[in-house]
Amino acid sequence: MAPKLSFHQENNIFFVNDQCEETLVIVCIKAGCGQEPIGKNGIAHLVEHICLSYRHYIPTSTIRFKIFNRVCLRSSGITNYGQTILLFSFSSHMDNIYTFHQILKVVLDTTIITKETFEKSKSEILTECKQKASQWYWQQDIISFITDRQINELPVGNEDEIASLKMRDAITFLQKYYIPNNMALVYFSGLQMKDILSNLYQEIPGFETGISKRLNYNASFNDTKNQKCSLSVCRLEHPSYHNVVEIYYQYSYKSLNLKSKITRMLYEAVTKKSIDEYVSASPYAHRCSGISVTDKHVSANLYYVVFSLSFTTIDDTLSRFAENVVNFLNHLLITEEILQASKENISPFFYEQEEPNRVQTFQNLSCHIFYGEPIHITTNQYSQLKELIDQIEVSDLMDYREWILNAPCKIVIST
């Protein structure tokens, strides 16, 4: 759920009005390892680190460095398949906003790529590759498997290809993707939007005129004619020695109206409760420690509904049990009684509006940035929920169910 937002949609600048003493600014760049040139896996991750190395770029003896230091700016970054995210936080004060925009200007300028920042960042990600190798290879195996080997790159990068990267590669990548019309800014702050915008446009005019491209798709729960129903299983060694079964159903992302989003919520509630009851009646009843139903996206054509089950201990029957869960989902009948119980279970959610945290809000906004719309229900839609939930019938859930379960299914067992 997201609080009421005020934002300039044409410029892809979002303002979340919270009253925290600390301002958080998230810079989203629509480029990750999926946009890397062949043979340069790791360049997106490298550029992310370079952009966060602004302290090394600015000589320590300068007034500018002292001003930047006084802000007590904290920063971090994430690179995934289709997006790079830079996070900056500081005390909520307009003087700090001014300083942050100067830093952002430095970050977006290719002159930040010096021999020092390049070599330091390169060393950082090579160290990361070595220290977290088992985690990255596990993640790579999962992504490669669920995408039918369409994606074999890792956001962290390939160690050999990183070692061969040159400064020119970083400059070219930054110039191509780190530009206002390929980015979005999300401000979490209690400061005035007009004051922030005025200074941003003054420091970086490109954000005032840049119009971000968006991905738009049409929705239909009956559009399964091009999908091929199949089932395959992959067993992996979990890097942290957990026991997890993840059931992935893959389909292309589709824009959902509000009624469809409520239908999805009801279906997730029905299936989670039904799987829980199924597991409770199985030999794994006392070994299952958690069940969840989530959405995950890699790209527009690689979107997943994921059923996850965690176990304390497992045995050789786990693969068969996972397939039995899939078979159970395929044959689960949703009755009027089940639907009404599900409506009752989620109805308090519509009336008791909890304040979302910044992580939850950004997850919603990141989908907005990627797909052109928030994927979840937002606060300004609450007034319509009661009327729409009463309109949803068993046939709506069954249509949604068929749309999901007719998709290719992949089971990943990590033990």
Side-chain angles (χ1 to χ4, degrees):
M1 306 296 290
K4 187 175 181 180
L5 306 178
S6 57
F7 58 91
H8 281 245
Q9 189 169 354
E10 69 275 12
N11 294 339
N12 235 15
I13 300 173
F14 300 79
F15 292 87
V16 181
N17 300 314
D18 61 16
Q19 296 302 316
C20 284
E21 294 181 359
E22 186 174 79
T23 290
L24 170 66
V25 186
I26 303 177
V27 183
C28 304
I29 302 95
K30 295 182 183 177
C33 69
Q35 287 67 48
E36 295 173 331
I38 295 174
K40 301 187 186 299
N41 181 211
I43 188 62
H45 189 199
L46 176 60
V47 170
E48 172 218 313
H49 275 243
I50 290 173
C51 288
L52 297 174
S53 67
Y54 52 87
R55 294 184 188 278
H56 306 289
Y57 164 72
I58 304 162
T60 57
S61 60
T62 63
I63 294 177
R64 196 182 203 187
F65 178 85
K66 293 174 182 176
I67 292 173
F68 286 3
N69 250 5
R70 194 162 60 237
V71 173
C72 295
L73 183 77
R74 292 168 296 284
S75 57
S76 60
I78 305 164
T79 299
N80 58 34
Y81 181 73
Q83 198 173 59
T84 298
I85 299 170
L86 307 176
L87 303 96
F88 302 88
S89 59
F90 44 86
S91 296
S92 292
H93 192 283
M94 277 309 300
D95 285 346
N96 292 342
I97 288 286
Y98 302 153
T99 303
F100 165 71
H101 287 157
Q102 293 174 37
I103 292 173
L104 182 60
K105 189 175 181 179
V106 170
V107 165
L108 300 184
D109 191 335
T110 57
T111 57
I112 196 174
I113 305 176
T114 65
K115 183 177 181 180
E116 182 182 2
T117 60
F118 177 82
E119 293 298 338
K120 181 174 179 60
S121 299
K122 189 173 179 179
S123 175
E124 287 173 352
I125 64 173
L126 283 171
T127 300
E128 199 172 322
C129 284
K130 291 182 173 69
Q131 291 178 342
K132 301 181 179 180
S134 61
Q135 179 182 335
W136 300 138
Y137 288 133
W138 171 69
Q139 186 183 65
Q140 184 178 38
D141 287 342
I142 291 177
I143 293 175
S144 180
F145 173 66
I146 67 173
T147 64
D148 294 319
R149 307 294 186 270
Q150 294 179 63
I151 298 176
N152 296 298
E153 300 84 9
L154 269 180
V156 69
N158 176 281
E159 194 172 338
D160 292 335
E161 293 180 17
I162 292 170
S164 66
L165 292 173
K166 308 297 182 187
M167 280 181 59
R168 171 49 55 186
D169 299 319
I171 292 171
T172 301
F173 193 87
L174 193 147
Q175 287 177 329
K176 183 174 182 178
Y177 295 110
Y178 282 63
I179 52 178
N181 68 354
N182 193 55
M183 299 171 64
L185 300 179
V186 183
Y187 292 82
F188 290 83
S189 183
L191 299 173
Q192 290 294 312
M193 178 183 70
K194 61 180 179 60
D195 296 334
I196 294 175
L197 272 181
S198 175
N199 182 253
L200 173 68
Y201 294 161
Q202 180 181 338
E203 290 292 334
I204 313 174
F207 279 108
E208 186 171 16
T209 56
I211 299 177
S212 181
K213 297 178 181 178
R214 301 193 166 200
L215 303 172
N216 294 304
Y217 303 92
N218 298 319
S220 171
F221 290 159
N222 299 314
D223 183 20
T224 57
K225 60 184 179 181
N226 294 322
Q227 295 181 343
K228 181 181 179 182
C229 186
S230 61
L231 172 66
S232 50
V233 181
C234 175
R235 290 191 68 116
L236 299 171
E237 181 178 331
H238 197 287
S240 301
Y241 305 105
H242 296 162
N243 300 303
V244 182
V245 171
E246 293 178 303
I247 302 169
Y248 291 82
Y249 288 93
Q250 176 206 325
Y251 55 97
S252 296
Y253 176 80
K254 294 186 183 297
S255 176
L256 303 181
N257 59 29
L258 183 55
K259 182 181 177 183
S260 299
K261 290 178 182 178
I262 300 172
T263 302
R264 176 183 63 194
M265 186 185 299
L266 286 166
Y267 178 76
E268 290 177 355
V270 167
T271 52
K272 185 176 184 298
K273 184 174 185 296
S274 299
I275 293 173
D276 188 35
E277 292 172 350
Y278 178 79
V279 173
S280 297
S282 77
Y284 278 91
H286 301 295
R287 289 185 275 176
C288 184
S289 57
I291 299 170
S292 65
V293 185
T294 57
D295 287 11
K296 295 183 181 181
H297 67 85
V298 178
S299 72
N301 296 320
L302 297 169
Y303 193 92
Y304 299 87
V305 170
V306 187
F307 299 88
S308 301
L309 298 90
S310 300
F311 299 90
T312 54
T313 58
I314 53 98
D315 56 35
D316 293 339
T317 66
L318 187 60
S319 292
R320 173 61 64 184
F321 179 75
E323 293 182 35
N324 288 342
V325 171
V326 171
N327 189 52
F328 169 74
L329 287 171
N330 287 335
H331 293 89
L332 175 64
L333 292 178
I334 301 172
T335 63
E336 184 65 33
E337 182 181 1
I338 291 175
L339 173 60
Q340 291 306 318
S342 181
K343 287 182 178 181
E344 290 176 11
N345 286 338
I346 71 169
S347 59
F349 173 77
F350 296 156
Y351 302 108
E352 300 171 10
Q353 300 182 29
E354 295 182 2
E355 279 295 317
N357 61 42
R358 287 176 165 183
V359 173
Q360 293 168 327
T361 304
F362 179 67
Q363 286 173 345
N364 207 12
L365 274 175
S366 65
C367 292
H368 191 141
I369 293 162
F370 198 79
Y371 295 116
E373 64 176 8
I375 192 171
H376 301 299
I377 297 167
T378 56
T379 300
N380 58 357
Q381 296 174 322
Y382 268 102
S383 59
Q384 307 170 55
L385 296 182
K386 180 64 172 68
E387 178 184 352
L388 286 175
I389 195 171
D390 290 340
Q391 296 176 13
I392 295 174
E393 300 176 351
V394 170
S395 59
D396 295 312
L397 265 69
M398 293 302 290
D399 285 344
Y400 184 81
R401 169 188 174 241
E402 291 305 307
W403 180 52
I404 296 299
L405 301 186
N406 280 338
C409 177
K410 301 281 200 322
I411 300 174
V412 177
I413 300 174
S414 300
T415 62

